[in-house]
């Protein structure tokens, strides 16, 4: 039905030729934009409904421990939150105020932007379930291991304790009925979709242009020049950038289709999602510069290793 609508809109209503680059670009844009926004809304609604059963106080009680299980739980909670790198910081600061170990809070901060429901939906739509499943596992592994390593380094002295924002005292939100939980999920879906739908259109639009106008030989030529260093270069290019995964996922998948190795494309995407200059500036409120640099360095190293892993496994999982 959706494909039929995209055909009608591009080739009948607008009168574009199915063989032309412009016709293919418009068709790509219409089909993927509607599909992704619909899937996003549906997945966010479902996740919001289930998240209504978890109170923040209960989550704090689970992860307030120093064992590796605390890192695993924090990373898992991060994967369920629909936040970008900067939006995760207030919760990260709140966890520090609550006395949760630094390494455990880092597991949340790293995983939250790398994995979230709308990114998973985008990857399912573009990459398929195998790559998405491995991506989620790798994101959880990055958050858990990097947080555990940071926790073992005894870096608490680098925190600026008096600069950490005090956590606001909030009354626990209660949902007395199934209808109230459904309403919460619906509100979450509307709120987040309103914030990111434009990013979806921008990302799909750029992806459509690259897909139909950039020669595959040009992309492959760039990769041949960078060779084995393509993954760290992609990560280094992604770190200074700041953008929504809703925009970068469609671009990453088109670059992959044009010949960029899978791990290189995913490393670029993960670096943009997990690390950014605005995030570093916001973190300066709570920690000194050496700790920020250590955090960025360990996370970037984990992303690079993950990129190489995906490149190595590319022929197996595709």
């Amino acid at each position: 039905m959706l494909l039929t609508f995209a055909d009608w809109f591009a080739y009948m209503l607008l009168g574009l030729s199915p063989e032309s680059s412009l016709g293919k670009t418009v068709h790509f844009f219409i089909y993927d934009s509607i599909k992704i926004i619909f899937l996003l809304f549906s997945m966010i609604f479902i996740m919001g409904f289930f998240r209504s059963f978890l109170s923040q106080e209960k989550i704090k009680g689970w992860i307030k421990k120093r064992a590796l299980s605390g890192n695993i739980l924090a990373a898992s909670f991060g994967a369920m939150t629909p936040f970008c790198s900067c939006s995760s910081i207030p919760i990260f600061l709140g966890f520090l105020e609550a006395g949760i170990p630094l390494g455990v809070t880092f597991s949340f901060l790293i995983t939250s932007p790398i994995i979230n429901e709308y990114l998973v939906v985008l990857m399912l739509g573009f990459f398929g379930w195998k790559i998405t499943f491995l991506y989620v596992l790798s994101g959880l592994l990055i958050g858990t291991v990097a947080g555990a390593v940071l926790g073992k380094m005894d870096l608490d002295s680098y925190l600026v304790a008096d600069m950490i924002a005090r956590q606001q005292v909030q009354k626990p939100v209660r949902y007395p009925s199934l209808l109230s939980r459904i309403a919460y999920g619906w509100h979450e879906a509307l709120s987040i979709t309103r914030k990111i739908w434009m990013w979806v259109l921008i990302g799909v639009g750029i992806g459509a242009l690259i897909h139909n106008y950039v020669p595959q030989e040009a992309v492959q030529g760039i990769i041949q020049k960078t060779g084995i260093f393509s993954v760290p270069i992609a990560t280094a290019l992604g770190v200074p950038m700041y953008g929504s995964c809703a925009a970068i996922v469609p671009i990453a998948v088109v670059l992959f289709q044009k010949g960029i190795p899978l791990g290189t494309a995913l490393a670029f995407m993960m670096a943009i999602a997990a690390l950014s200059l605005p995030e570093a500036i916001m973190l300066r409120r709570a920690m000194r510069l050496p700790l920020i640099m250590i955090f960025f360095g360990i996370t970037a190293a984990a992303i690079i290793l993950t990129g190489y892993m995906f490149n190595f496994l590319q022929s197996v999982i595709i």
Side-chain angles (χ1 to χ4, degrees):
M1 181 177 178
L2 179 55
L3 184 60
T4 302
F5 173 79
D7 290 340
W8 171 82
F9 189 94
Y11 306 139
M12 301 270 303
L13 182 64
L14 298 182
L16 301 173
S17 171
E19 304 301 324
S20 67
S21 295
L22 179 59
K24 293 177 181 178
T25 300
V26 172
H27 185 275
F28 183 106
F29 177 78
I30 296 297
Y31 178 79
D32 281 79
S33 296
I34 297 175
K35 178 184 70 174
I36 294 303
I37 290 175
F38 173 76
L39 289 173
L40 280 173
F41 186 91
S42 302
M43 182 61 72
I44 295 170
F45 169 74
I46 294 171
M47 291 297 295
F49 172 77
F50 284 110
R51 200 157 46 235
S52 69
F53 291 92
L54 296 175
S55 69
Q56 191 166 333
E57 291 301 319
K58 185 182 295 184
I59 292 168
K60 287 180 181 178
W62 288 343
I63 66 178
K64 194 174 182 179
K65 52 186 73 174
R66 293 189 177 274
L68 183 61
S69 58
N71 295 94
I72 296 173
L73 289 169
S76 300
F77 175 58
M80 295 188 294
T81 54
F83 302 128
C84 66
S85 56
C86 291
S87 302
S88 304
I89 292 177
I91 296 180
F92 168 77
L93 297 177
F95 283 167
L96 289 177
E97 278 286 317
I100 295 174
L102 180 61
V104 175
T105 61
F106 270 132
S107 288
F108 165 80
L109 184 64
I110 294 168
T111 309
S112 180
I114 290 180
I115 308 172
N116 51 61
E117 53 258 49
Y118 63 83
L119 185 145
V120 170
V121 170
L122 288 169
M123 292 196 67
L124 280 172
F126 286 113
F127 284 111
W129 73 269
K130 288 183 181 179
I131 295 176
T132 303
F133 177 73
L134 289 175
Y135 175 85
V136 170
L137 285 182
S138 65
L140 289 170
L141 186 63
I142 288 174
T144 300
V145 173
V149 171
L150 287 163
K152 292 292 185 181
M153 295 176 68
D154 194 21
L155 300 170
D156 294 70
S157 60
Y158 288 102
L159 289 175
V160 183
D162 59 332
M163 295 295 291
I164 297 177
R166 290 184 176 274
Q167 184 183 23
Q168 294 181 352
V169 179
Q170 298 179 347
K171 294 182 179 179
V173 180
R174 302 189 182 280
Y175 303 94
S177 66
L178 181 63
L179 186 61
S180 65
R181 298 184 187 278
I182 293 174
Y184 173 76
W186 182 265
H187 174 75
E188 281 277 282
L190 282 177
S191 176
I192 296 173
T193 303
R194 284 171 179 167
K195 292 178 182 177
I196 67 174
W197 69 270
M198 183 61 70
W199 288 107
V200 173
L201 297 184
I202 292 173
V204 173
I206 295 174
L209 291 172
I210 295 174
H211 187 270
N212 292 286
Y213 284 99
V214 177
Q216 185 169 341
E217 294 76 13
V219 177
Q220 291 175 339
I222 295 174
I223 292 300
Q224 289 175 356
K225 291 180 180 178
T226 56
I228 194 174
F229 298 105
S230 65
V231 174
I233 290 173
T235 304
L237 290 174
V239 169
M241 301 175 65
Y242 177 71
S244 170
C245 291
I248 197 60
V249 171
I251 299 173
V253 72
V254 171
L255 290 175
F256 168 62
Q257 292 173 347
K258 285 292 183 178
I260 296 285
L262 176 61
T264 304
L266 291 181
F268 177 63
M269 184 181 74
M270 294 172 82
I272 293 176
L275 303 170
S276 67
L277 290 181
E279 179 189 18
I281 294 171
M282 293 178 68
L283 286 174
R284 187 63 184 86
R285 296 166 48 203
M287 59 185 70
R288 299 174 186 173
L289 186 59
L291 180 53
I292 297 175
M293 295 177 65
I294 293 171
F295 163 61
F296 269 54
I298 290 178
T299 305
I303 291 173
I304 291 171
L305 289 175
T306 303
Y308 280 123
M309 180 194 72
F310 271 98
N311 281 348
F312 178 75
L313 296 175
Q314 179 170 327
S315 60
V316 177
I317 61 180
I318 297 178

